[in-house]
Amino acid sequence: MGLFITFEGIEGSGKTTQFELLKSYLEKMGRSVLAIREPGGSVLGERIREILLNSGGVGICPVSELFLYEACRAELVKDVIGPALKSNKTVICDRFIDSTIAYQGFGRGIGIKDIERVNNMAAGGVAPDVTFLLDMDPGAGLERAWKRINATNTGINREDRFEKEGLEFHSRVREGYLRLSMAEPERIKVIDGARDVRLVHGDICAVVDKIIR
Ligand code: T5A
């Protein structure tokens, strides 16, 4: 089986930046890498992503939101992640099951046990070997996220449904992530995401090097 690495954290914590840097780092080492994101990463998943991140003003209740994320995940694991791991690839995923516990559980208030059950159903037993949790103050993360959105996402397709949630929501999400990391310290490595991009990347590479060796 290959190696499965996930990135987690609040909005703007630098996941996508670090995910891309790690992808290049691993490719330079000669590893075969599959880099994907949630929600998305499959044909159906990318279509559901559009609804989830910009519903065009249509309300989505927390339970519907949960099942839309799980539908994306079920497709992604079955068609993309599972086969890649079986063929010994290194899979890097920008968000996975922990996002659902943090956002739909701690953020929206759905029971954690219920989420764990549907997470397991969608992921079909596939679990990350290591998860990097980029941690930082939610206010500072949102500031970064809005800057990126305003610079790159224009027009009606702005992916900003979660950024529009208040600071209290994002503080609960962060708290959820930190609790998850305390429950699974071996898998979830907490990295201070407020620092310089290169320092954060260095910490991530150090962990990955140890695992690969
Ligand atoms: N979601 C997802 C759920 O609710 N449940 C689920 O089960 C799943 C899977 C996904 C949304 O869906 C939710 C969570 C999310 O709200 P998304 O667009 O993928 O949406 O959102 P994010 O992953 O949060 O994307 P962001 O871009 O907001 O955050 P990132 O990826 O953490 O940050 P990044 O790397 O894009 O950086 C943001 C900006 O900061 C700069 C970057 O250049 C960029 O401009 N930056 C730094 N600046 C200074 N110092 C650093 N160290 C920096 N690192 C990055």
Side-chain angles (χ1 to χ4, degrees), residues 76-136:
L76 187 66
V77 170
K78 175 177 68 67
D79 289 347
V80 185
I81 299 179
L85 290 174
K86 274 191 195 128
S87 65
N88 265 332
K89 286 198 171 157
T90 300
V91 177
I92 318 177
C93 195
D94 192 347
R95 297 191 178 280
F96 196 57
I97 45 173
D98 301 307
S99 281
T100 322
I101 305 238
Y103 282 79
Q104 280 63 53
F106 285 83
R108 300 284 194 224
I110 297 179
I112 305 300
K113 291 273 166 232
D114 289 333
I115 297 181
E116 283 172 349
R117 215 169 296 136
V118 281
N119 266 353
N120 287 338
M121 205 184 283
V126 170
D129 296 298
V130 63
T131 296
F132 293 106
L133 169 55
L134 300 182
D135 180 54
M136 68 183 292

Side-chain angles (χ1 to χ4, degrees), residues 10-17 38-39 49 53 69 73 95 99-100 103-104 144-145 148 159 162-163 193 195-197:
I10 56 158
E11 318 296 305
S13 56
K15 295 172 304 300
T16 309
T17 304
E38 268 208 356
R49 180 183 173 96
L53 303 193
Y69 278 109
R73 184 163 300 136
R95 297 191 178 280
S99 281
T100 322
Y103 282 79
Q104 280 63 53
R144 277 189 194 167
R148 180 190 60 76
E159 293 186 338
F162 280 90
E163 284 78 3
R195 294 167 306 149
D196 180 81
V197 170

Side-chain angles (χ1 to χ4, degrees), residues 23-69:
K23 177 177 183 274
S24 307
Y25 179 76
L26 289 167
E27 284 173 345
K28 275 187 203 138
M29 288 166 78
R31 293 183 79 93
S32 171
V33 180
L34 172 76
I36 37 158
R37 66 176 180 181
E38 268 208 356
S42 69
V43 178
L44 180 62
E46 289 294 330
R47 289 176 73 175
I48 297 175
R49 180 183 173 96
E50 287 172 24
I51 299 170
L52 277 167
L53 303 193
N54 182 342
S55 62
V58 176
I60 304 177
C61 79
V63 173
S64 303
E65 184 179 270
L66 169 67
F67 283 109
L68 287 170
Y69 278 109

